[in-house]
Amino acid sequence: MEHFDDINTRLKERLVANVTNLKRPLDDNTNTVKMRKYQGSRLPMSSTSSDVSEASRFRQLIADKKAELGNLKLSSMSVRNEIETQNLENFRIQASFNDLERTLHDVELKTGELTGYRDQSLESLQKKYELKTRELGVRHQERLNNIKEDITRLVDELLTEKQYKYEKQILDLKNEISGMVDEKESVESELNKTLILLKETQHREELEAVGELEEQCEKARLEMEGIDKAIDAKRREIEDIKLTRLPQLAKECSRFTALLDQLRAKNKDKQTEIDGLERQITSKKSKMTSLSTGSKERANELHRLTFEIARMRSELVDQESKRRKLHGQLQDLKGNIRVFCRVRSTPSQDLIQYKVPQDINDDSKQDLLITKTSYSNSNSTYRFLFDKIFQPDQPNEAIFEELSQLIQCSLDGTNVCVFAYGQTGSGKTFTMSHPANGMIPMSLMKIFNDIEDLKEKGWYYSIQGRFIEIYNESIIDLLNPATSDKHEIKHDDSMCRTSVTNVTTIDITTPEQANEILGMANKKRSTAATKSNDHSSRSHSIFIIDIQGSNHLTSESCCGTLNLIDLAGSERLNNSRAEGDRLKETQAINKSLSCLGDVIYSLNLKDGSHIPYRNSKLTYLLKHSLGGNSKTLMFVNISPLNKDLNETINSLRFATKVNNTKINK
C-alpha cells in the first residue's frame, strides 16, 4: 500500500508542476501588456500606425495565448487521462495487491496445512519408528529365544551326556563292588577252609604222634616192668645180655630218639606253616579292611551321585517346562497361520517362468515371482509372499524339518492343523501320504521318538487315531467304511475338543501299526479319473491324532489334537469338463474349499464378526484347529507346467489370502 501511495503522490506533484509551467508564460505576457499600458499612459502616442501595429501584435499575442490555452487544455485533458489511466492502474494494482493478499493468505493456509502435514508426517514417522523399534525388539526377542533354545538344547545334551556318564560310572562301581564282595566272601571262605584244614591236619598229626609215643611209652613201660620183674631172674644173665641185648637196645633207643627228633622237626615245620598262614590271614584281614573302607567311600560317592542324578532330573523337568513355554512363544512369533509353497517336480520342459530369490524380506518371508506372457508378447509379473518356498529338487525330508516344530506343539497340548491345498495332480497326496517319507508317516515317527525322549522327564502319553474322509459333504469312516451309522460333529467349546459320533477310534502304540492302518485306509479313499488326473482324490481325507499326556513328577497334563489333511484337488468346471458324478464331486469340492477361504477371511477381521464354520463339514470339523490358540500350516502345491498357469495363479492367490490372515485372539 505504501508503494501505491508513493506513486499517487509523485503523479500529483508531476501534474501540479505541468500546470504551473503552463500558467507561468501567460502571467509574464500579462505583466508585459500591463507594463506597456502603463508606459503608454505615461508616454504620448507618437502616431496612429504604431497603435495599429501594437494592436495587431496584441491580437497576435492573444491568439498565441489562446493557442497556448488550447494546448494547455489539451495537456490538462491528457493529464486527466493519465490520472484516470493511473487510477485505473492503481485499481488494477490494488486488485493485484488484493489477489496477492489472497494468494498470501492461501499460501499461509497451505503453509499451515504443510505444517500440519509435517506434524502428521513427524507423528507418522514417530509411529513407524516405534513400530520399527517394536519389530526390532521382536526380532531381538526371536534371536534371544533362538539363543535360549540353543542353550536349552546344549544344556539338555550336556545333562544327557553327564547322566549317561554318571550312570555308567555307577554301574561300573556297582559291578566292581559286587566283584569285591564276591572276592571277599570267596577269600574268607577259602581262608576259613584252609585254616580249618590245617588245624585238623595238625591236630590229627599231633594225635597220631602222641598216640604213637604213648603206645611206644606203654610198650617201653611194659617192657621195663618185664625187665624189672626179670631183673632178678636175669641178673645172672646180665653179663650174657650185655654182650647180646645191649647193642640191640642201644639201636632201639637211637631209633626212638631219631623218631622223636623227626616228630619235633615236623612239628616245627607245621608251626612255621601255621605262622605263615596266620600272617596271610592278617594280610587278608588288612586288605578286607581296606576294601571295606573303599566300599564305604564308594557307597558315599554312590549316594552323592544318586542325589546329583535326582537334582539333574529335577532340573530336566524344569528345563522341559521352560522349553515348552519358549517353544510356544517362538511359534506364536512365527504366526498361528503359516503357508509353505511347494513346486512339483516334472520331467517336462514346457514350464512357466518363475523365480525364487534367496533373500528373505523384513517379515521373514520368501518371494515367488511368476512371469506370464500374453498373446501380444507383453509380460505380467505376479509376486507372492510365503513363509517358505520349496523347489522341485527338495525332498519330503527337507519339508518335514520345517513341520516338525508344529508336531512338538501338539505334544505340548496345542491343536495343530496341517493341510495340503492345490489343483488336482499338483503333488498333495505325495507330500502328505507317501508311505516312505510323507508328512503323515514322518509325523507319527517323530511323535513316538519324542514320547520316548520325554519319558525320562516324567511324561507319559497315550495316542489315539481316527481316519475319515469328507465326500460330497458326507463323513465316511475309512477305518470302517461299510457302516451305515450316521456321523455327527460334536464340539466341546470349554475344552476346545472335537469329536465325531460313530467313528472308529484306535489306540496307536507304534508307528508301524499306524502306517499299516493308514495304508489300508488310503486304499478305501474315493478316487476317480478326470480330465486333469487319472487318479484324482475326490474327497478330503483327514487323519485325526489325539495326544493325551501326563507328568507324574509335576502333576501336569496336556491334551492336543493333530489334524493331517489331504484336501481334494481344486479345479475349474470349464477346465475339468466334468459330467455326471464327477460334476457333483467337483461342485462339492469347490464349495468346501470356498467355505474354507471364507472362514480364513473371517478370522482376519478385527470387529468380532461371525465366522461361518457351519457352511461346510470340513470347516465345522476344524473349528478348534483353525481359530484361537491353534496352529495352522498350509502347503500350497503348484504345478510348474505352462498349461496349468491359470490354476497355479489361482492357488497362489488363495494361499496368499491365507498367509495374510492374523488370528484375533
Side-chain angles (χ1 to χ4, degrees), residues 291-538:
L291 289 174
S292 178
T293 303
S295 176
K296 290 181 180 179
E297 292 177 354
R298 289 180 179 178
N300 294 332
E301 181 69 14
L302 178 62
H303 178 72
R304 188 186 67 80
L305 290 176
T306 303
F307 176 78
E308 184 69 16
I309 289 172
R311 185 186 64 80
M312 292 171 65
R313 284 179 177 170
S314 177
E315 289 183 358
L316 281 174
V317 173
D318 294 339
Q319 291 294 333
E320 174 64 16
S321 299
K322 293 179 181 178
R323 185 204 61 75
R324 286 171 174 257
K325 182 178 179 181
L326 292 174
H327 183 75
Q329 293 176 354
L330 176 61
Q331 298 307 311
D332 289 340
L333 290 174
K334 288 184 176 180
N336 289 59
I337 296 181
R338 280 175 265 171
V339 178
F340 292 167
C341 176
R342 186 181 193 186
V343 183
R344 192 197 73 189
S345 61
T346 177
S348 175
Q349 300 298 321
D350 186 20
L351 305 178
I352 62 177
Q353 299 179 22
Y354 73 94
K355 183 180 180 182
V356 181
Q358 295 300 319
D359 296 335
I360 298 177
N361 62 13
D362 293 339
D363 296 329
S364 298
K365 305 284 186 182
Q366 278 189 280
D367 290 336
L368 174 62
L369 303 176
I370 294 180
T371 302
K372 180 180 180 182
T373 303
S374 64
Y375 294 107
S376 60
N377 292 327
S378 61
N379 295 331
S380 300
T381 301
Y382 298 87
R383 180 172 179 261
F384 304 95
L385 293 176
F386 299 108
D387 294 279
K388 197 76 175 177
I389 299 174
F390 297 97
Q391 299 282 18
D393 57 346
Q394 291 183 273
N396 281 353
E397 288 81 2
I399 299 174
F400 184 74
E401 288 182 6
E402 300 292 334
L403 169 64
S404 59
Q405 298 181 8
L406 291 180
I407 305 301
Q408 182 62 52
C409 289
S410 64
L411 287 170
D412 295 342
T414 302
N415 292 338
V416 177
C417 179
V418 181
F419 62 91
Y421 174 87
Q423 72 180 95
T424 181
S426 59
K428 301 183 299 299
T429 303
F430 177 84
T431 299
M432 295 299 297
S433 303
H434 191 275
N437 57 4
M439 298 303 106
I440 295 178
M442 295 182 73
S443 297
L444 289 168
M445 184 65 68
K446 176 173 175 55
I447 287 174
F448 281 96
N449 289 339
D450 289 350
I451 287 175
E452 194 65 29
D453 293 338
L454 290 172
K455 283 183 179 179
E456 64 181 8
K457 300 175 183 177
W459 284 97
Y460 291 91
Y461 289 87
S462 62
I463 309 296
Q464 291 183 329
R466 293 166 286 166
F467 202 180
I468 63 175
E469 72 171 356
I470 299 178
Y471 176 72
N472 287 342
E473 286 300 302
S474 297
I475 297 177
I476 299 174
D477 183 3
L478 289 177
L479 299 179
N480 186 17
T483 181
S484 60
D485 295 336
K486 185 178 180 181
H487 305 296
E488 295 183 358
I489 300 172
K490 304 290 185 180
H491 291 295
D492 183 355
D493 294 332
S494 62
M495 298 296 293
C496 293
R497 304 289 294 168
T498 300
S499 60
V500 182
T501 60
N502 302 320
V503 168
T504 304
T505 300
I506 58 171
D507 293 325
I508 303 176
T509 56
T510 63
E512 291 76 16
Q513 172 207 5
N515 290 331
E516 182 179 357
I517 294 173
L518 285 174
M520 296 172 58
N522 278 322
K523 294 178 181 178
K524 301 173 184 177
R525 282 192 64 184
S526 300
T527 60
T530 65
K531 300 291 185 180
S532 302
N533 189 0
D534 293 336
H535 192 72
S536 175
S537 299
R538 312 308 295 164

Side-chain angles (χ1 to χ4, degrees), residues 143-171:
R143 295 191 185 97
L144 183 60
N145 290 336
N146 291 333
I147 292 172
K148 289 182 178 179
E149 187 174 356
D150 293 337
I151 292 173
T152 302
R153 188 179 69 255
L154 291 175
V155 169
D156 291 341
E157 292 176 355
L158 289 175
L159 291 176
T160 304
E161 183 179 357
K162 286 186 177 180
Q163 181 180 359
Y164 174 77
K165 181 179 178 181
Y166 287 152
E167 288 178 350
K168 185 176 181 182
Q169 289 180 353
I170 290 169
L171 182 60

Side-chain angles (χ1 to χ4, degrees), residues 265-278:
K266 186 181 289 189
N267 189 22
K268 184 177 181 181
D269 293 337
K270 294 296 182 181
Q271 187 64 41
T272 303
E273 188 176 354
I274 290 172
D275 293 338
L277 291 174
E278 287 179 350

Side-chain angles (χ1 to χ4, degrees), residues 642-653:
N642 260 323
K643 67 182 183 68
D644 298 327
L645 177 59
N646 291 331
E647 289 291 345
T648 295
I649 292 177
N650 289 333
S651 297
L652 292 174
R653 285 173 175 166

